[in-house]
């Protein structure tokens, strides 16, 4: 996992560091944790062996030792993983593998009407990518806020482009109902994965 991305939420904030990569199936969890510790060591200048991975009461990851001041998030799916780290504010990251599933019915089941209609309007054979474009951002937002997809996370309004599915947005965009939070689908140079990042107020 050495594909690094840096994105700046606002001009007055430090960049968020995102590291992602394709991984051998079955090794995703261990590789993601190793990448988190290695990247935290690079950002803080501290020896990696002095940094430990712990979990908050709600289950979200947190670092102890010299990297305890970093906000972090992790995600893994079959064959890939991602980590996000920020000095300034809470972050959330989510990565999903593109695979066949009934995107339209699942969107109707889980999403608000606007998002479900947007998925339904996607061109033939593009519904899965449209669904994952939404799902990963909603998951990332929930992680940044500290509650995952609970507390209405799946019905979180998102800024919807006219066409579905769009490519990576790259730049973080404020949420329609909460300008203090922002999200984006990031470029991966891989058609097999969708990667999203979100930031929120601490």
């Amino acid at each position: 996992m050495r594909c690094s991305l840096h994105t700046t939420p606002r001009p007055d904030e430090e960049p968020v560091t995102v590291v992602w990569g394709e991984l051998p199936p079955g090794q995703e969890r261990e590789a993601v944790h190793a990448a988190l510790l290695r990247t935290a060591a690079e950002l803080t200048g501290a020896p990696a062996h002095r940094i430990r991975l712990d979990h908050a009461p709600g289950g979200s990851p947190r670092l102890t030792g010299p990297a305890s001041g970093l906000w972090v998030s992790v995600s893994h799916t079959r064959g890939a993983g991602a980590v996000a780290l920020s000095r300034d504010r809470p972050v959330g990251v989510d990565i999903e593998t593109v695979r066949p599933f009934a995107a339209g019915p699942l969107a109707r089941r889980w999403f608000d009407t606007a998002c479900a209609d947007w998925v339904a309007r996607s061109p033939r054979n593009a519904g899965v990518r449209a669904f994952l474009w939404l799902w990963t951002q909603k998951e990332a937002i929930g992680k940044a806020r500290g509650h995952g997809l609970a507390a209405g996370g799946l019905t979180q309004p998102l800024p919807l482009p006219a066409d579905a599915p769009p490519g990576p947005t790259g730049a973080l965009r404020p949420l329609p109902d909460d300008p203090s939070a922002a999200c984006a689908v990031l470029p991966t140079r891989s058609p097999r994965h969708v990667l999203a990042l979100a930031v929120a107020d601490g």
Side-chain angles (χ1 to χ4, degrees):
M1 285 180 54
R2 296 304 300 170
C3 298
S4 298
L5 304 164
H6 299 274
T7 182
T8 304
R10 289 193 295 253
D12 60 333
E13 294 176 334
E14 289 204 16
V16 175
T17 298
V18 180
V19 177
W20 87 277
E22 296 182 326
L23 302 166
Q27 300 179 26
E28 298 91 352
R29 183 181 180 88
E30 294 78 8
V32 164
H33 290 172
L36 177 62
L37 296 176
R38 182 177 61 248
T39 307
E42 293 172 358
L43 289 176
T44 60
H49 71 270
R50 293 186 55 204
I51 301 172
R52 294 287 182 269
L53 174 61
D54 195 3
H55 291 85
S60 58
R62 65 183 177 189
L63 298 176
T64 61
S68 60
L70 294 175
W71 297 94
V72 300
S73 180
V74 302
S75 178
H76 54 83
T77 183
R78 181 170 176 80
V83 301
L85 305 91
S86 171
R87 297 179 186 276
D88 287 337
R89 60 196 301 209
V91 293
V93 69
D94 190 54
I95 189 167
E96 295 289 342
T97 299
V98 178
R99 70 268 186 200
F101 59 83
L106 283 176
R108 290 292 176 201
R109 178 180 179 184
W110 295 112
F111 293 160
D112 58 280
T113 301
C115 287
D117 288 347
W118 185 78
V119 172
R121 291 195 302 270
S122 62
R124 187 177 181 85
N125 300 324
V128 166
R129 189 166 289 277
F131 181 95
L132 293 177
W133 193 89
L134 294 169
W135 181 278
T136 54
Q137 290 184 88
K138 290 171 184 278
E139 179 83 56
I141 293 164
K143 289 180 178 180
R145 289 174 168 166
H147 56 63
L149 290 175
L154 285 172
T155 57
Q156 167 65 53
L158 294 176
L160 297 174
D163 299 323
T169 56
L172 289 159
R173 300 163 303 149
L175 300 184
D177 63 340
D178 181 8
S180 69
C183 62
V185 171
L186 302 179
T188 62
R189 301 186 301 277
S190 168
R192 296 185 297 274
H193 302 102
V194 180
L195 172 66
L197 172 71
V199 296
D201 276 352

